[in-house]
Amino acid sequence: MSKEREAGDGPHRDAKRDEMQQGGAARCRVCGGGPLHRWVHLPDMPLTEELHPPAHAGKPFLADIDVYVCEACGVSQTVGMRDLSPYYIDYGYTVGQSAFASLFMERLAVAVRDRYGLKPGFSVVEIGSGDGVQLKSFERAGARVYGVEPSASLCQASRARGIPVMEALFEPATAALLPEAFRSADVLLLTYTFDHLPDPSGMLEAARQTLHPGRGLLVLEVHDLDQIVERREYCLFEHEHYTYWTKETLKGALGRCGFRMLTSELLPASQRRGNSLLIVAAPMDAAHVPDGRAEADRIGTTIDYSGFQTELDSGIAALDAFVAAESAAGRKVAGYGGGGRGVMTLAAMSTAGQIAYVCDANKALHGRLAPKSQVPVVDIARLAEQPVDTLIVFSYGYMAEIQEAVRKQPNAPQRIVSMLELLK
Ligand SMILES: [Zn+2]
């Protein structure tokens, strides 16, 4: 959990000032070119992690989320810099509680090892290694592992698990600070970290310096922008994201930074996390051979940039219409999922006030309010105490697990519906 802060402190105030300073002549943060065209606008959105106790109600950080696309390289991105580093220090985000997520981590480690024939003792460095749970999977798969993580509390959790970690934000200069045994690594791993970095090209440059030139592998997991657009999944546009990637734009950026994409099919979609684009790349001169699909992927996109804002607004309107109709029919509604998807989805809805509460398995969130929408996050047991007729699942990626847990509750809601169905 992020520490509670007063609105106007530290990163908040800086972010607001940066918003005001950003002009129209911005250069692309990936290729340095442009021009940039805005195609997503979400007004007054909070930070995904800033759930607060009721006493702090009404004072969350709010700023517009604007996403631009670069005409030169096609990468979608935010404009301007905001220093969220103080925010990351206490950023306690982790997905380790879900059985599905744990299984994914095991499968990822085994798939990387087996597909590329890595021998016992292969070295793995993870950037943004969190509580070390993913590296633990690699260790079980026979690797020597090392993490880099800016959050002090997550570093502590990682060390408690026996996973060595450096407390730092990874920058090009950090590569030289790694222990000797990890300076020419076999695998460099970033899961849902790459899109949180303001300078992705600098990161790729640092990655090339960190990896063994002949056999190194770069494993990247980011949200898939093509899927976000297709599903109108606007909650994945977050202040914490600097860039948004499609398979094609990622392949292009990798190529410009001396990497070759080897595959985007390491694991089948059914085994990946919600909306995950998982790719493996290697330094251009490495011995690895790309699979046919990675070679054939053309650079280009099917995203209708000029039409998406209308689609997005229709999605939010459809969600609001559903909640309004349920309320009008006297049916009570609650949500499931107090993480980023729930927080951001609720923040853009005009009917959030008609949602009684949001259940979540994460005890640290219980008793807190989602920023802006002020919907309380509660234990799943609330479903028995204060029954509802309809449950909207925001964390739809764990739908099967959630349905199972909800149906075990006394007075379980009659209808459990995925947010994705309502956004259409
Ligand atoms: Zn560009």
Side-chain angles (χ1 to χ4, degrees):
M1 269 312 299
S2 56
K3 242 183 358 191
E4 288 140 42
R5 281 156 285 140
E6 295 296 322
D9 274 359
H12 297 207
R13 190 187 54 226
D14 294 344
K16 281 207 166 120
R17 189 190 58 215
D18 292 346
E19 286 281 308
M20 286 187 287
Q21 283 175 351
Q22 84 195 12
R27 312 294 287 173
C28 172
R29 65 171 74 249
V30 180
C31 75
L36 302 178
H37 305 289
R38 189 174 81 172
W39 65 285
V40 175
H41 176 66
L42 285 163
D44 291 336
M45 295 294 277
L47 295 168
T48 57
E49 287 272 305
E50 198 163 60
L51 295 101
H52 52 82
H56 282 232
K59 301 194 294 181
F61 163 80
L62 295 176
D64 296 353
I65 291 176
D66 291 302
V67 181
Y68 299 75
V69 62
C70 170
E71 199 174 299
C73 71
V75 178
S76 287
Q77 55 198 281
T78 58
V79 168
M81 298 294 283
R82 58 177 39 156
D83 181 14
L84 287 174
S85 56
Y87 173 63
Y88 283 109
I89 302 306
D90 286 294
Y91 191 71
Y93 175 79
T94 176
V95 291
Q97 301 177 15
S98 156
F100 178 82
S102 301
L103 190 56
F104 164 80
M105 291 180 190
E106 292 291 323
R107 284 168 166 161
L108 177 61
V110 169
V112 170
R113 180 195 65 193
D114 293 352
R115 180 145 179 168
Y116 298 102
L118 301 173
K119 301 281 174 280
F122 66 100
S123 54
V124 179
V125 175
E126 184 177 15
I127 309 304
S129 55
D131 60 5
V133 65
Q134 175 67 76
L135 283 176
K136 198 75 191 172
S137 293
F138 273 95
E139 196 179 65
R140 277 193 286 271
R144 292 180 295 114
V145 303
Y146 193 80
V148 180
E149 167 58 50
S151 156
S153 57
L154 290 177
C155 283
Q156 216 169 22
S158 180
R159 291 184 189 113
R161 226 181 220 106
I163 301 298
V165 61
M166 184 201 302
E167 187 181 322
L169 268 171
F170 193 82
E171 298 167 317
T174 317
L177 302 176
L178 291 169
E180 182 103 40
F182 292 94
R183 272 184 227 159
S184 192
D186 295 311
V187 178
L188 189 67
L189 175 68
L190 293 93
T191 64
Y192 293 137
T193 300
F194 188 63
D195 38 13
H196 288 233
L197 304 172
D199 177 15
S201 300
M203 174 69 225
L204 291 177
E205 186 56 40
R208 225 156 37 82
Q209 288 165 24
T210 307
L211 281 168
H212 188 284
R215 56 168 198 270
L217 294 163
L218 175 64
V219 180
L220 291 179
E221 186 187 33
V222 294
H223 291 297
D224 185 340
L225 184 60
D226 280 321
Q227 277 191 52
I228 292 175
V229 166
E230 194 188 313
R231 298 164 163 182
R232 300 174 167 179
E233 205 176 356
Y234 67 85
C235 58
L236 292 178
F237 294 112
E238 300 175 356
H239 291 296
E240 291 87 341
H241 289 163
Y242 284 101
T243 50
Y244 298 90
W245 300 90
T246 64
K247 199 188 299 178
E248 288 75 18
T249 59
L250 192 51
K251 186 179 173 185
L254 286 164
R256 286 190 300 278
C257 293
F259 281 95
R260 173 191 289 172
M261 190 186 284
L262 300 179
T263 188
S264 58
E265 317 272 321
L266 182 68
L267 292 174
S270 62
Q271 294 182 6
R272 298 200 298 265
R273 297 187 273 215
N275 217 339
S276 149
L277 171 59
L278 175 65
I279 68 98
V280 184
M284 210 58 94
D285 298 328
H288 303 291
V289 180
D291 70 18
R293 285 197 196 202
E295 286 285 80
D297 285 338
R298 62 190 174 79
I299 304 297
T301 182
T302 52
I303 297 174
D304 173 13
Y305 292 101
S306 58
F308 181 69
Q309 185 69 45
T310 309
E311 291 265 315
L312 189 165
D313 293 338
S314 315
I316 298 171
L319 204 46
D320 279 326
F322 175 83
V323 174
E326 291 291 284
S327 296
R331 294 164 61 80
K332 293 194 174 69
V333 183
Y336 196 106
R341 282 188 170 84
V343 164
M344 300 306 267
T345 301
L346 288 165
M349 290 171 66
S350 58
T351 55
Q354 294 166 49
I355 293 179
Y357 50 82
V358 173
C359 304
D360 199 282
N362 184 355
K363 287 184 169 48
L365 299 179
H366 296 165
R368 290 175 177 265
L369 303 181
K372 187 180 174 183
S373 69
Q374 308 284 304
V375 178
V377 182
V378 302
D379 187 85
I380 192 171
R382 184 69 67 90
L383 288 170
E385 299 152 14
Q386 191 186 336
V388 296
D389 304 287
T390 303
L391 188 73
I392 302 174
V393 177
F394 298 116
S395 39
Y396 70 88
Y398 305 102
M399 191 72 181
E401 280 173 52
I402 290 166
Q403 277 175 324
E404 197 188 327
V406 167
R407 294 208 169 112
K408 279 183 194 154
Q409 301 300 312
N411 304 325
Q414 282 179 343
R415 186 170 179 199
I416 305 174
V417 59
S418 162
M419 169 191 81
L420 285 188
E421 282 175 46
L422 303 178
L423 280 170
K424 284 173 189 161

